[in-house]
């Protein structure tokens, strides 16, 4: 019984530190309108930035895909689970982001945790932004390369670390849009450093793909790096469960890099391929993204609206121009209490606590989508200001 008692004590200490996480079950589909425990809420939680997750055209494409290819792939890609439609999707993704080739993965977590060990190993060095996503952190640890974490978005500190390294192979690894802060990595500076120090640059564009850049081609396109003479150094990860509204991820880059990843990425090789029906639906999603300027403009207008209306004093809006608009509060318990007060007002905003963010920087993570109404965004901003004024969760 001792092991079980220990586990229970650890769970109790999560409660004590206001760190216990709870799932809320939504009775509706992914949209700003949610129903939780019978209560109607407006959700500011999803990464469905363009409002595609419940778009009728994608549901139709998914059903069409299932009719044509059935439910499952039946095997891993390198055995017999790879289909024409997977090739078609990879070609479309590569063309869309302006790379020679792309490889389709089941999830972004699998892509990130798999490609770093395929690109670096013992004797190599990985240089990672402190605020990188957990999937990159795990991939970096699995690689057995030596790990150097640099202060957030600090190119000068990274330059010094790279200069001091004698590693054979060097990898710079960064989120493009940081998932809990909403700000952008200095991609042009990072590519310059990669060139100067002969390093690879792995960019995880989970939150930029579909949203940033011309036609939503992502943060690398927005930074104008696609045509850089040494763009071959960039290994680009995009995920397909956020703006693309479905599930999955891809890694794109130089054809030889992608071929190497296909051979060596364990999270690609040793897992059942994602259902081909998903790939069919993702092709439709890609068309909606490419022609989605109206959705992107709407999202941008809502971001501007939220920032204009949320004039906070003790709490702080982080400097983000993306759909991720965190409200920094600080203490875990206060953040939880504010999230609870918002819920009581019918507004669903997730409280993000350590270890997802550094200790003392608990926050509400507001995420906006093209499917929100301006009136709801304004109501959220006003409710936040009111809660701050009356002492919020204190
Ligand atoms: C969501 C996310 C991932 C993981 O992608 P999934 O497809 O959800 O597994 C990777 N990186 C970042 C920055 C993310 O926000």
């Amino acid at each position: 019984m001792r092991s079980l008692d220990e586990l229970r004590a650890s769970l109790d200490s999560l409660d004590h530190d206001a760190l216990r996480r709870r799932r809320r079950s939504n009775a509706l589909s992914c949209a700003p309108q949610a129903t939780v425990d019978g209560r109607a809420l407006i959700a500011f939680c999803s990464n469905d930035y363009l409002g595609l997750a419940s778009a009728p055209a994608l549901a139709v494409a998914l059903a069409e895909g299932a009719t044509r290819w059935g439910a499952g792939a039946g095997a891993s890609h390198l055995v017999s689970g790879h289909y024409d439609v997977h090739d078609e999707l990879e070609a479309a993704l590569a063309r869309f982001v302006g790379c020679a080739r792309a490889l389709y993965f089941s999830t972004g977590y699998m892509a990130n945790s798999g490609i770093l060990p395929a690109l670096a190993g013992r004797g190599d060095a990985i240089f990672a932004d402190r605020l990188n996503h957990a999937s990159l952190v795990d991939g970096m640890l699995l690689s057995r390369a030596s790990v150097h974490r640099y202060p957030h978005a600090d190119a000068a500190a990274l330059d010094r670390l790279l200069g001091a390294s004698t590693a054979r192979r060097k990898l710079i690894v960064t989120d493009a849009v940081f998932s809990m802060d909403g700000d952008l990595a200095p991609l042009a500076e990072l590519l310059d450093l990669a060139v100067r120090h002969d390093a690879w640059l792995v960019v995880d564009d989970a939150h930029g793909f579909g949203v940033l850049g011309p036609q939503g081609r992502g943060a690398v396109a927005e930074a104008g790096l696609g045509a850089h003479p040494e763009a071959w150094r960039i290994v680009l990860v995009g995920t397909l469960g956020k703006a693309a509204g479905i599930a999955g991820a891809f890694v794109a880059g130089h054809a030889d890099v992608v071929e190497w990843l296909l051979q060596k990425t364990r999270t690609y090789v040793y897992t059942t391929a994602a259902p081909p029906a998903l790939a069919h639906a993702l092709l439709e999603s890609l068309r909606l993204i490419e022609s989605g300027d109206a959705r992107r403009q709407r999202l941008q207008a809502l971001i501007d609206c939220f920032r204009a209306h949320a004039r906070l004093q003790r709490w702080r809006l982080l400097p983000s121009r993306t759909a991720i608009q965190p409200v920094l509060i600080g203490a875990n318990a206060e953040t939880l209490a504010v999230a609870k007060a918002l819920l009581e007002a019918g507004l669903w905003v997730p409280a993000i606590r350590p270890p997802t963010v550094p200790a003392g920087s608990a926050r509400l993570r507001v995420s906006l989508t093209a499917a929100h109404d301006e009136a709801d965004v304004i109501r959220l901003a006003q409710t936040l200001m009111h809660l701050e004024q009356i002492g919020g969760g204190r």
Side-chain angles (χ1 to χ4, degrees):
M1 286 300 280
R2 213 183 70 218
S3 323
L4 197 50
D5 288 340
E6 269 171 24
L7 263 190
R8 290 194 184 115
S10 304
L11 286 169
D12 288 345
S13 85
L14 289 180
D15 285 330
H16 178 263
D17 298 334
L19 286 177
R20 167 95 69 139
R21 296 161 183 240
R22 290 178 204 283
R23 302 176 298 176
R24 292 177 206 282
S25 306
N26 184 357
L28 304 180
S29 62
C30 177
Q33 295 72 33
T35 298
V36 175
D37 298 331
R39 274 228 330 270
L41 301 171
I42 301 295
F44 293 92
C45 314
S46 86
N47 308 303
D48 179 27
Y49 301 125
L50 301 181
L52 295 181
S54 51
L58 291 193
V60 167
L62 192 57
E64 209 177 79
T67 302
R68 173 130 169 233
W69 284 278
S76 61
H77 283 282
L78 298 189
V79 176
S80 64
H82 191 73
Y83 296 81
D84 285 356
V85 68
H86 288 134
D87 284 331
E88 209 184 318
L89 175 63
E90 289 179 344
L93 286 165
R95 182 193 54 78
F96 185 63
V97 297
C99 290
R101 192 174 171 194
L103 191 64
Y104 168 54
F105 281 76
S106 298
T107 72
Y109 182 88
M110 289 168 70
N112 283 338
S113 59
I115 64 170
L116 297 184
L119 292 171
R122 252 187 253 284
D124 300 331
I126 295 182
F127 301 83
D129 189 291
R130 277 238 169 86
L131 297 189
N132 277 350
H133 190 262
S135 54
L136 291 171
V137 174
D138 291 356
M140 167 171 105
L141 298 177
L142 280 169
S143 76
R144 299 186 173 90
S146 71
V147 163
H148 308 268
R149 300 180 90 176
Y150 58 89
H152 178 50
D154 188 341
L158 171 60
D159 189 16
R160 289 190 291 275
L161 287 169
L162 284 161
S165 169
T166 56
R168 194 171 45 97
R169 190 185 298 176
K170 302 174 187 176
L171 237 69
I172 302 168
V173 177
T174 188
D175 283 18
V177 177
F178 288 86
S179 53
M180 296 301 140
D181 289 58
D183 59 338
L184 272 88
L187 292 177
E189 285 173 76
L190 297 184
L191 182 56
D192 281 346
L193 290 178
V195 171
R196 286 228 314 278
H197 296 277
D198 190 19
W200 295 96
L201 175 60
V202 177
V203 176
D204 173 5
D205 198 20
H207 300 278
F209 178 77
V211 182
L212 299 178
Q215 292 90 48
R217 290 171 206 274
V220 172
E222 185 187 66
L225 301 180
H228 192 285
E230 299 207 24
W232 57 268
R233 294 182 180 278
I234 301 174
V235 180
L236 173 65
V237 178
T239 66
L240 303 169
K242 291 176 175 150
I246 305 181
F250 67 91
V251 182
H254 190 280
D256 294 336
V257 176
V258 174
E259 176 62 18
W260 174 255
L261 292 174
L262 185 161
Q263 300 296 327
K264 292 293 176 187
T265 305
R266 296 169 67 85
T267 55
Y268 185 79
V269 175
Y270 298 107
T271 192
T272 300
L278 289 189
H280 179 73
L282 282 163
L283 281 163
E284 179 62 21
S285 169
L286 205 50
R287 285 187 278 271
L288 294 178
I289 288 174
E290 194 161 5
S291 64
D293 280 348
R295 289 176 195 264
R296 279 181 289 273
Q297 277 158 17
R298 195 171 152 62
L299 174 61
Q300 190 58 55
L302 292 170
I303 294 168
D304 296 343
C305 170
F306 179 69
R307 292 191 70 85
H309 282 84
R311 293 177 303 272
L312 300 168
Q313 323 237 312
R314 192 159 54 82
W315 303 338
R316 195 159 64 82
L317 218 52
L318 293 186
S320 158
R321 63 172 169 92
T322 67
I324 301 168
Q325 290 292 326
V327 178
L328 188 66
I329 292 181
N332 297 341
E334 185 179 12
T335 308
L336 269 190
V338 177
K340 187 159 170 278
L342 286 171
L343 262 189
E344 277 154 19
L347 299 166
W348 185 6
V349 181
I352 309 288
R353 288 156 285 163
T356 309
V357 293
S361 74
R363 66 200 65 183
L364 298 169
R365 181 181 185 271
V366 172
S367 57
L368 299 169
T369 78
H372 279 109
D373 277 333
E374 191 179 83
D376 290 327
V377 171
I378 293 173
R379 185 158 75 87
L380 172 63
Q382 288 174 344
T383 308
L384 278 168
M385 285 159 65
H386 173 71
L387 289 172
E388 186 191 42
Q389 212 166 34
I390 63 169
R394 293 206 296 195

